Amino acid sequence: MPRRRIYGWPHPPRTEEKSIQPEPTTELRHRIVEAPAGRLHLVEQGTGPLVLLVHGFPESWYSWRRQLPALAAAGHRAVAVDVRGYGRSSKPEAIDAYRMLDLVEDNLAVVRALGEESAVVVGHDWGSGIAAASALLHPEVFRAVGLLSVPYAPPGGPRPSDIFGQIGGPEEEFYVSYLQEPRRAEAEIEPDVRGWLAGFYAALSADTMPAPGEPDPHFVVRGGGRLRDRFPTGVLPAWLSEDELNVHAGEFERTGMTGALNRYRNMDRDWEDLAPHHGAPIKQPSLFIGGALDASTTWMSDAIDAYPTTLPGLSASHLLDGCGHWIQQERPDEVNRLLTDWLATLRG
C-alpha cells in the first residue's frame, strides 16, 4: 500500500498562504446546465482536462474557492458544482430524489453539458461518496477519483440505519440518525442558520475543536436535545472569516436546509440501490487526503487500511497532521499541492 504521508503542524499563517496562492489564469465563470435534477449551477475556471469538484454538507461550490485558481493555473478546467438541493441548483421536493444514483447522473450530465467525454472527479465529505460512486458506476467517464476527508468503503455490509442506531448509549442519538428524520433538523437550524453553521464548522476544525473532556465533538445528541447544544460557541476557525461565513450562510438562508439534509435520508435507499456492487473496488487512479484530527478518518480507519484491496489504483494516501474535517479550506496550500502533483501524473 502507498505510504501515508504526515504533513506538519502548525500550518502557515493566512498572510503567507495568500502570498503563495497562484494567480488565476481566467476569471470565475458561473453557469447553469441542464441535468436530471432540473438545473445545476457550477463555477468554472481555467482550460485543459476537466476536474469536477463535488462539495459536501453543509457547503456549496464556494468550499472549493481556493482550489479553482490553483487547478486552473496548473492547466486544468476546474469546475465546482452546487449539488442538487444546494445553492443555485434545483431542489426536487421528493426525499428519494436525493439518492446516490441520481447524484451520479447529475455528474454525468455536467460532463456532457460541458462538451467533455471524461473527467477526474474530486469530492469532499458527502462529495467524496458521490465522487466514489461516480467512478465506481461509470469508469468510462470518470477516469480518476480524488477523495477528501471521507474514505472509500465499498457498498455492502449492514444496513446503515442499523449501524447508526447502535451508536451511543440509551439516552444518546448519533447525529446521522438525528438528521434522517424529516423536518426535525430544519427546526433546529433554520431559525439561526449562520449561528448553526458557525458552530458546526468550529466543531470539526482543528483549531476550534473541543478539547478532550469538553462537550463531545463527535455529534451525539443527548436527552432529546439539539446538535448545537454541544457546538463550540463564540469562535470561528482560522480558515473562516466573517465574510466567508456570510457567503456560506447566505446560500442556506435563501434555499433552506431540506435539500441538503435529504442526502442523509437516503442512506438506506443507497444501500439497496448499490447492492449489486457489493464489495466492488474502484480500479481507476485514485488519491486520498484526510485530516489526522478528523473523526471521519478515525471512525473509518479500517476503510483506509483496506485501500490495497478497495482502491488498487491508489497513488497515495495522505493524512495531514493537525488538520480537521474541512481539509481543502483549512489547509488549502497543501491540498492544492497534493492535488496538482497527482493530476500531473495522470497526464503521462
Side-chain angles (χ1 to χ4, degrees), residues 20 29 84 97 195 208 257 318:
I20 64 175
R29 303 183 297 276
R84 69 166 67 188
T208 50
M257 298 297 300
H318 304 274

Side-chain angles (χ1 to χ4, degrees), residues 49 74 76 120 143-144 285 315 340-348:
H76 300 279
V120 176
R143 61 189 180 90
S315 299
T340 55
D341 287 351
W342 172 63
L343 290 168
T345 70
L346 303 178
R347 288 182 162 183

Side-chain angles (χ1 to χ4, degrees), residues 213-252:
E214 293 184 8
D216 190 345
H218 298 316
F219 295 159
V220 175
V221 178
R222 296 181 177 173
R226 306 171 302 170
L227 273 176
R228 69 183 306 158
D229 293 339
R230 308 190 67 80
F231 290 168
T233 58
V235 60
L236 290 183
W239 61 265
L240 182 66
S241 70
E242 295 283 352
D243 288 343
E244 289 168 334
L245 176 59
N246 288 340
V247 174
H248 284 293
E251 295 297 287
F252 292 106

